[in-house]
Each structure stands twice: as structure tokens, then as C-alpha cells.
Amino acid sequence: MRKALFVSSVALAAITGQLLAGTPAVAAPPSGGSPSSQQGEIGTLDSTKCSTIPINSVCTTGILAANPTGHWIDYTYSKVPFSQLDWEIKDVANGAIVARGNSWAGVGGSGRVNGLYGRYQMKMRCVCLSTGTLFNR
């Protein structure tokens, strides 16, 4: 007897980090929050991430406010080795790129962008499996 597995689009988004390449990822809400409140209360998230799948894909994280006291955002990215990954972090209010980079041979990296006061998103392009995350706590 065969059993069917049905996965809702919300569950699928949580599993893959995105519904389709290039759409914002749905991050887990902070404790006490709900998925609907995180869209309206952008600054309440501690982190947000997105993932690409093979086939020349693009992903964009959700919007994250800079740390309110330290004025920074930390980022990480991971990928399979020997695949081209290009990433950038931009200010959603004015479109300014505050950090960018790329990786070919390595499997990941991390860093901190200081002097930030607005809201930011990370965008990644990779013909590979990869994940990018922004943190503000």
C-alpha cells in the first residue's frame, strides 16, 4: 500500500528556504511571534536566511534591521566547493550595496558589516546548493 505525502507551501518554504528562486525566504518567527507578524514587524527578527538550489538560481533573504545598539549585521554563507557563488548585502531603503563578495574554491565564509542603521537583505547567486544568513543578535 502506497502512502502519499502532502506538504503545504509554508512547510515547503521552511524546508527549502524559499518557494521559488528569487523569492524572499520565510524565516522562523521570534519566540512569541507569528509568520504574519514578522512581515509587518521587520525589526523583530534575529536572523533570516535563504537557500539556492542547483540550476543557476538566486535567493534573497527576508529583511533584517541592523543591531540597534551596535549598528552591525553579521553574515554567513556556505556552499559546495568549486562552484561560483556571488553575494551582496543591500540597504532596502536606498538600494546601496553595503557588502559584497564571491567564492569559488572555498565552502563558506562569514563576516560583520559595521556602521549600519537601516534594514538589509542578502542576495545570492549560485549554480549550486548554498545558504546565506544574516544575524543582528
Side-chain angles (χ1 to χ4, degrees):
M1 179 163 127
R2 290 202 283 173
K3 293 184 180 181
L5 174 65
F6 295 95
V7 178
S8 73
S9 62
V10 173
L12 183 59
I15 292 167
T16 65
Q18 64 186 32
L19 291 173
L20 298 171
T23 60
V26 177
S31 97
S34 68
S36 60
S37 71
Q38 70 175 295
Q39 295 301 322
E41 299 171 23
I42 292 170
T44 63
L45 295 176
D46 293 322
S47 66
T48 181
K49 74 177 181 178
C50 72
S51 299
T52 64
I53 57 172
I55 311 176
N56 199 20
S57 71
V58 175
C59 77
T60 304
T61 66
I63 298 170
L64 188 71
N67 179 281
T69 56
H71 307 292
W72 51 262
I73 283 185
D74 286 340
Y75 64 88
T76 64
Y77 61 89
S78 60
K79 66 176 194 66
V80 296
F82 303 108
S83 55
Q84 180 65 37
L85 169 70
D86 298 302
W87 60 269
E88 65 186 29
I89 300 170
K90 93 175 168 179
D91 185 315
V92 297
N94 61 24
I97 305 298
V98 298
R100 71 168 31 138
N102 58 53
S103 176
W104 168 251
V107 294
S110 63
R112 175 172 282 185
V113 183
N114 290 301
L116 302 179
Y117 291 84
R119 299 175 302 157
Y120 303 88
Q121 283 184 302
M122 181 180 210
K123 183 175 186 177
M124 298 189 336
R125 293 173 198 83
C126 189
V127 186
C128 65
L129 292 172
S130 65
T131 300
T133 308
L134 295 178
F135 305 90
N136 66 5
R137 303 242 187 270

mmCIF file of all heavy atoms in Angstrom, residues 49-82:
data_model
loop_
_atom_site.group_PDB
_atom_site.id
_atom_site.type_symbol
_atom_site.label_atom_id
_atom_site.label_comp_id
_atom_site.label_asym_id
_atom_site.label_seq_id
_atom_site.Cartn_x
_atom_site.Cartn_y
_atom_site.Cartn_z
ATOM 1 N N LYS A 49 17.356 33.808 6.520
ATOM 2 C CA LYS A 49 18.233 33.115 5.588
ATOM 3 C C LYS A 49 17.500 32.721 4.326
ATOM 4 O O LYS A 49 16.271 32.753 4.265
ATOM 5 C CB LYS A 49 18.858 31.892 6.237
ATOM 6 C CG LYS A 49 17.939 30.724 6.424
ATOM 7 C CD LYS A 49 18.701 29.551 7.020
ATOM 8 C CE LYS A 49 17.798 28.355 7.201
ATOM 9 N NZ LYS A 49 18.527 27.206 7.736
ATOM 10 N N CYS A 50 18.273 32.350 3.320
ATOM 11 C CA CYS A 50 17.728 31.811 2.085
ATOM 12 C C CYS A 50 18.688 30.759 1.558
ATOM 13 O O CYS A 50 19.848 30.698 1.973
ATOM 14 C CB CYS A 50 17.487 32.903 1.050
ATOM 15 S SG CYS A 50 18.968 33.612 0.312
ATOM 16 N N SER A 51 18.182 29.930 0.660
ATOM 17 C CA SER A 51 18.998 28.856 0.078
ATOM 18 C C SER A 51 18.774 28.788 -1.421
ATOM 19 O O SER A 51 17.660 29.015 -1.892
ATOM 20 C CB SER A 51 18.621 27.503 0.693
ATOM 21 O OG SER A 51 18.854 27.505 2.078
ATOM 22 N N THR A 52 19.828 28.474 -2.158
ATOM 23 C CA THR A 52 19.705 28.254 -3.592
ATOM 24 C C THR A 52 19.717 26.753 -3.855
ATOM 25 O O THR A 52 20.168 25.965 -3.034
ATOM 26 C CB THR A 52 20.858 28.898 -4.386
ATOM 27 O OG1 THR A 52 22.088 28.271 -4.021
ATOM 28 C CG2 THR A 52 20.943 30.392 -4.139
ATOM 29 N N ILE A 53 19.227 26.409 -5.017
ATOM 30 C CA ILE A 53 19.275 25.025 -5.479
ATOM 31 C C ILE A 53 20.082 25.011 -6.773
ATOM 32 O O ILE A 53 20.210 26.034 -7.427
ATOM 33 C CB ILE A 53 17.864 24.459 -5.702
ATOM 34 C CG1 ILE A 53 17.084 25.330 -6.690
ATOM 35 C CG2 ILE A 53 17.099 24.352 -4.394
ATOM 36 C CD1 ILE A 53 15.764 24.756 -7.125
ATOM 37 N N PRO A 54 20.643 23.868 -7.171
ATOM 38 C CA PRO A 54 21.380 23.843 -8.436
ATOM 39 C C PRO A 54 20.470 24.266 -9.592
ATOM 40 O O PRO A 54 19.275 24.077 -9.536
ATOM 41 C CB PRO A 54 21.798 22.381 -8.573
ATOM 42 C CG PRO A 54 21.780 21.836 -7.188
ATOM 43 C CD PRO A 54 20.678 22.578 -6.487
ATOM 44 N N ILE A 55 21.039 24.799 -10.608
ATOM 45 C CA ILE A 55 20.370 25.280 -11.820
ATOM 46 C C ILE A 55 20.345 26.811 -11.810
ATOM 47 O O ILE A 55 19.305 27.434 -11.910
ATOM 48 C CB ILE A 55 18.932 24.737 -12.032
ATOM 49 C CG1 ILE A 55 18.890 23.239 -11.864
ATOM 50 C CG2 ILE A 55 18.419 25.148 -13.409
ATOM 51 C CD1 ILE A 55 17.514 22.620 -11.964
ATOM 52 N N ASN A 56 21.481 27.393 -11.664
ATOM 53 C CA ASN A 56 21.647 28.836 -11.809
ATOM 54 C C ASN A 56 20.588 29.634 -11.063
ATOM 55 O O ASN A 56 19.873 30.426 -11.644
ATOM 56 C CB ASN A 56 21.647 29.200 -13.293
ATOM 57 C CG ASN A 56 22.248 30.559 -13.533
ATOM 58 O OD1 ASN A 56 22.972 31.067 -12.686
ATOM 59 N ND2 ASN A 56 21.974 31.150 -14.666
ATOM 60 N N SER A 57 20.500 29.446 -9.768
ATOM 61 C CA SER A 57 19.426 30.092 -9.024
ATOM 62 C C SER A 57 19.890 31.292 -8.214
ATOM 63 O O SER A 57 21.069 31.493 -7.962
ATOM 64 C CB SER A 57 18.707 29.091 -8.137
ATOM 65 O OG SER A 57 19.509 28.700 -7.078
ATOM 66 N N VAL A 58 18.904 32.061 -7.796
ATOM 67 C CA VAL A 58 19.097 33.266 -6.996
ATOM 68 C C VAL A 58 18.164 33.171 -5.795
ATOM 69 O O VAL A 58 17.044 32.694 -5.920
ATOM 70 C CB VAL A 58 18.741 34.525 -7.816
ATOM 71 C CG1 VAL A 58 18.821 35.771 -6.964
ATOM 72 C CG2 VAL A 58 19.631 34.646 -9.040
ATOM 73 N N CYS A 59 18.632 33.615 -4.647
ATOM 74 C CA CYS A 59 17.737 33.710 -3.492
ATOM 75 C C CYS A 59 18.004 35.018 -2.769
ATOM 76 O O CYS A 59 19.086 35.596 -2.873
ATOM 77 C CB CYS A 59 17.895 32.514 -2.552
ATOM 78 S SG CYS A 59 19.353 32.531 -1.501
ATOM 79 N N THR A 60 16.994 35.479 -2.058
ATOM 80 C CA THR A 60 17.077 36.716 -1.287
ATOM 81 C C THR A 60 16.508 36.450 0.098
ATOM 82 O O THR A 60 15.417 35.896 0.217
ATOM 83 C CB THR A 60 16.272 37.841 -1.975
ATOM 84 O OG1 THR A 60 16.760 38.004 -3.312
ATOM 85 C CG2 THR A 60 16.414 39.153 -1.221
ATOM 86 N N THR A 61 17.240 36.850 1.129
ATOM 87 C CA THR A 61 16.751 36.670 2.491
ATOM 88 C C THR A 61 15.589 37.613 2.750
ATOM 89 O O THR A 61 15.320 38.524 1.960
ATOM 90 C CB THR A 61 17.848 36.969 3.531
ATOM 91 O OG1 THR A 61 18.182 38.362 3.462
ATOM 92 C CG2 THR A 61 19.076 36.109 3.333
ATOM 93 N N GLY A 62 14.957 37.436 3.897
ATOM 94 C CA GLY A 62 13.984 38.412 4.362
ATOM 95 C C GLY A 62 14.703 39.689 4.777
ATOM 96 O O GLY A 62 15.935 39.772 4.731
ATOM 97 N N ILE A 63 13.953 40.685 5.165
ATOM 98 C CA ILE A 63 14.520 41.978 5.576
ATOM 99 C C ILE A 63 14.866 41.923 7.061
ATOM 100 O O ILE A 63 14.072 41.455 7.867
ATOM 101 C CB ILE A 63 13.529 43.110 5.293
ATOM 102 C CG1 ILE A 63 13.255 43.191 3.790
ATOM 103 C CG2 ILE A 63 14.042 44.433 5.839
ATOM 104 C CD1 ILE A 63 12.107 44.106 3.434
ATOM 105 N N LEU A 64 16.058 42.407 7.411
ATOM 106 C CA LEU A 64 16.530 42.381 8.792
ATOM 107 C C LEU A 64 17.075 43.751 9.168
ATOM 108 O O LEU A 64 17.877 44.330 8.435
ATOM 109 C CB LEU A 64 17.630 41.328 8.942
ATOM 110 C CG LEU A 64 18.105 41.052 10.361
ATOM 111 C CD1 LEU A 64 17.027 40.298 11.140
ATOM 112 C CD2 LEU A 64 19.377 40.236 10.341
ATOM 113 N N ALA A 65 16.647 44.261 10.313
ATOM 114 C CA ALA A 65 17.169 45.538 10.821
ATOM 115 C C ALA A 65 18.556 45.321 11.420
ATOM 116 O O ALA A 65 18.852 44.258 11.951
ATOM 117 C CB ALA A 65 16.234 46.101 11.888
ATOM 118 N N ALA A 66 19.403 46.345 11.315
ATOM 119 C CA ALA A 66 20.725 46.293 11.940
ATOM 120 C C ALA A 66 20.569 46.197 13.457
ATOM 121 O O ALA A 66 19.540 46.589 14.017
ATOM 122 C CB ALA A 66 21.529 47.539 11.583
ATOM 123 N N ASN A 67 21.593 45.671 14.123
ATOM 124 C CA ASN A 67 21.593 45.604 15.582
ATOM 125 C C ASN A 67 21.363 47.021 16.115
ATOM 126 O O ASN A 67 22.081 47.948 15.725
ATOM 127 C CB ASN A 67 22.924 45.037 16.078
ATOM 128 C CG ASN A 67 22.989 44.972 17.579
ATOM 129 O OD1 ASN A 67 23.233 45.978 18.226
ATOM 130 N ND2 ASN A 67 22.771 43.793 18.120
ATOM 131 N N PRO A 68 20.388 47.217 17.007
ATOM 132 C CA PRO A 68 20.017 48.570 17.430
ATOM 133 C C PRO A 68 21.052 49.287 18.292
ATOM 134 O O PRO A 68 21.066 50.513 18.342
ATOM 135 C CB PRO A 68 18.712 48.365 18.204
ATOM 136 C CG PRO A 68 18.727 46.937 18.639
ATOM 137 C CD PRO A 68 19.518 46.199 17.611
ATOM 138 N N THR A 69 21.926 48.570 18.970
ATOM 139 C CA THR A 69 22.929 49.242 19.811
ATOM 140 C C THR A 69 24.319 49.210 19.195
ATOM 141 O O THR A 69 25.067 50.164 19.324
ATOM 142 C CB THR A 69 22.980 48.614 21.221
ATOM 143 O OG1 THR A 69 23.222 47.215 21.092
ATOM 144 C CG2 THR A 69 21.680 48.840 21.972
ATOM 145 N N GLY A 70 24.668 48.140 18.514
ATOM 146 C CA GLY A 70 25.995 48.030 17.909
ATOM 147 C C GLY A 70 26.056 48.479 16.464
ATOM 148 O O GLY A 70 27.122 48.702 15.915
ATOM 149 N N HIS A 71 24.884 48.615 15.811
ATOM 150 C CA HIS A 71 24.779 49.085 14.430
ATOM 151 C C HIS A 71 25.573 48.222 13.457
ATOM 152 O O HIS A 71 26.383 48.711 12.688
ATOM 153 C CB HIS A 71 25.172 50.561 14.340
ATOM 154 C CG HIS A 71 24.427 51.410 15.305
ATOM 155 N ND1 HIS A 71 23.078 51.649 15.197
ATOM 156 C CD2 HIS A 71 24.830 52.025 16.443
ATOM 157 C CE1 HIS A 71 22.678 52.395 16.205
ATOM 158 N NE2 HIS A 71 23.713 52.633 16.989
ATOM 159 N N TRP A 72 25.334 46.915 13.496
ATOM 160 C CA TRP A 72 26.009 45.964 12.629
ATOM 161 C C TRP A 72 25.058 44.853 12.216
ATOM 162 O O TRP A 72 23.992 44.690 12.793
ATOM 163 C CB TRP A 72 27.231 45.343 13.319
ATOM 164 C CG TRP A 72 26.949 44.785 14.684
ATOM 165 C CD1 TRP A 72 27.185 45.408 15.878
ATOM 166 C CD2 TRP A 72 26.359 43.529 15.019
ATOM 167 N NE1 TRP A 72 26.775 44.605 16.928
ATOM 168 C CE2 TRP A 72 26.259 43.444 16.424
ATOM 169 C CE3 TRP A 72 25.886 42.450 14.270
ATOM 170 C CZ2 TRP A 72 25.730 42.336 17.081
ATOM 171 C CZ3 TRP A 72 25.358 41.341 14.925
ATOM 172 C CH2 TRP A 72 25.290 41.293 16.316
ATOM 173 N N ILE A 73 25.480 44.103 11.205
ATOM 174 C CA ILE A 73 24.828 42.856 10.796
ATOM 175 C C ILE A 73 25.938 41.857 10.528
ATOM 176 O O ILE A 73 26.931 42.180 9.870
ATOM 177 C CB ILE A 73 23.948 43.043 9.551
ATOM 178 C CG1 ILE A 73 22.635 43.713 9.947
ATOM 179 C CG2 ILE A 73 23.677 41.722 8.848
ATOM 180 C CD1 ILE A 73 21.630 43.846 8.847
ATOM 181 N N ASP A 74 25.786 40.649 11.061
ATOM 182 C CA ASP A 74 26.702 39.549 10.746
ATOM 183 C C ASP A 74 26.108 38.746 9.603
ATOM 184 O O ASP A 74 24.880 38.687 9.447
ATOM 185 C CB ASP A 74 26.882 38.626 11.952
ATOM 186 C CG ASP A 74 27.749 39.242 13.040
ATOM 187 O OD1 ASP A 74 28.505 40.187 12.751
ATOM 188 O OD2 ASP A 74 27.663 38.764 14.183
ATOM 189 N N TYR A 75 26.978 38.127 8.808
ATOM 190 C CA TYR A 75 26.503 37.281 7.716
ATOM 191 C C TYR A 75 27.344 36.012 7.651
ATOM 192 O O TYR A 75 28.497 35.987 8.084
ATOM 193 C CB TYR A 75 26.561 38.022 6.377
ATOM 194 C CG TYR A 75 27.958 38.396 5.952
ATOM 195 C CD1 TYR A 75 28.746 37.516 5.205
ATOM 196 C CD2 TYR A 75 28.502 39.622 6.293
ATOM 197 C CE1 TYR A 75 30.036 37.861 4.823
ATOM 198 C CE2 TYR A 75 29.785 39.977 5.920
ATOM 199 C CZ TYR A 75 30.547 39.093 5.179
ATOM 200 O OH TYR A 75 31.820 39.429 4.807
ATOM 201 N N THR A 76 26.736 34.967 7.142
ATOM 202 C CA THR A 76 27.453 33.724 6.830
ATOM 203 C C THR A 76 26.924 33.224 5.499
ATOM 204 O O THR A 76 25.795 33.534 5.098
ATOM 205 C CB THR A 76 27.236 32.616 7.883
ATOM 206 O OG1 THR A 76 25.874 32.235 7.889
ATOM 207 C CG2 THR A 76 27.666 33.063 9.262
ATOM 208 N N TYR A 77 27.754 32.456 4.809
ATOM 209 C CA TYR A 77 27.302 31.747 3.622
ATOM 210 C C TYR A 77 28.049 30.421 3.562
ATOM 211 O O TYR A 77 29.159 30.293 4.057
ATOM 212 C CB TYR A 77 27.513 32.558 2.337
ATOM 213 C CG TYR A 77 28.945 32.898 2.048
ATOM 214 C CD1 TYR A 77 29.762 32.041 1.316
ATOM 215 C CD2 TYR A 77 29.488 34.088 2.504
ATOM 216 C CE1 TYR A 77 31.093 32.351 1.053
ATOM 217 C CE2 TYR A 77 30.808 34.410 2.252
ATOM 218 C CZ TYR A 77 31.596 33.540 1.517
ATOM 219 O OH TYR A 77 32.917 33.853 1.273
ATOM 220 N N SER A 78 27.384 29.434 3.012
ATOM 221 C CA SER A 78 28.012 28.126 2.827
ATOM 222 C C SER A 78 27.587 27.581 1.479
ATOM 223 O O SER A 78 26.515 27.912 0.968
ATOM 224 C CB SER A 78 27.604 27.164 3.946
ATOM 225 O OG SER A 78 26.206 26.994 3.952
ATOM 226 N N LYS A 79 28.461 26.747 0.894
ATOM 227 C CA LYS A 79 28.189 26.191 -0.430
ATOM 228 C C LYS A 79 29.065 24.979 -0.661
ATOM 229 O O LYS A 79 29.954 24.687 0.141
ATOM 230 C CB LYS A 79 28.454 27.235 -1.503
ATOM 231 C CG LYS A 79 29.933 27.608 -1.597
ATOM 232 C CD LYS A 79 30.159 28.567 -2.727
ATOM 233 C CE LYS A 79 31.623 28.697 -3.075
ATOM 234 N NZ LYS A 79 32.253 27.509 -3.618
ATOM 235 N N VAL A 80 28.810 24.305 -1.757
ATOM 236 C CA VAL A 80 29.676 23.189 -2.137
ATOM 237 C C VAL A 80 30.948 23.766 -2.757
ATOM 238 O O VAL A 80 30.925 24.823 -3.367
ATOM 239 C CB VAL A 80 28.961 22.226 -3.112
ATOM 240 C CG1 VAL A 80 27.778 21.565 -2.446
ATOM 241 C CG2 VAL A 80 28.516 22.933 -4.369
ATOM 242 N N PRO A 81 32.105 23.090 -2.614
ATOM 243 C CA PRO A 81 33.345 23.615 -3.176
ATOM 244 C C PRO A 81 33.332 23.621 -4.706
ATOM 245 O O PRO A 81 32.609 22.856 -5.327
ATOM 246 C CB PRO A 81 34.424 22.678 -2.634
ATOM 247 C CG PRO A 81 33.724 21.522 -2.043
ATOM 248 C CD PRO A 81 32.296 21.863 -1.875
ATOM 249 N N PHE A 82 34.127 24.509 -5.267
ATOM 250 C CA PHE A 82 34.336 24.630 -6.709
ATOM 251 C C PHE A 82 33.049 24.922 -7.462
ATOM 252 O O PHE A 82 32.759 24.348 -8.505
ATOM 253 C CB PHE A 82 35.061 23.401 -7.273
ATOM 254 C CG PHE A 82 36.374 23.175 -6.596
ATOM 255 C CD1 PHE A 82 36.551 22.120 -5.726
ATOM 256 C CD2 PHE A 82 37.424 24.064 -6.774
ATOM 257 C CE1 PHE A 82 37.742 21.928 -5.064
ATOM 258 C CE2 PHE A 82 38.629 23.894 -6.120
ATOM 259 C CZ PHE A 82 38.794 22.818 -5.262
#
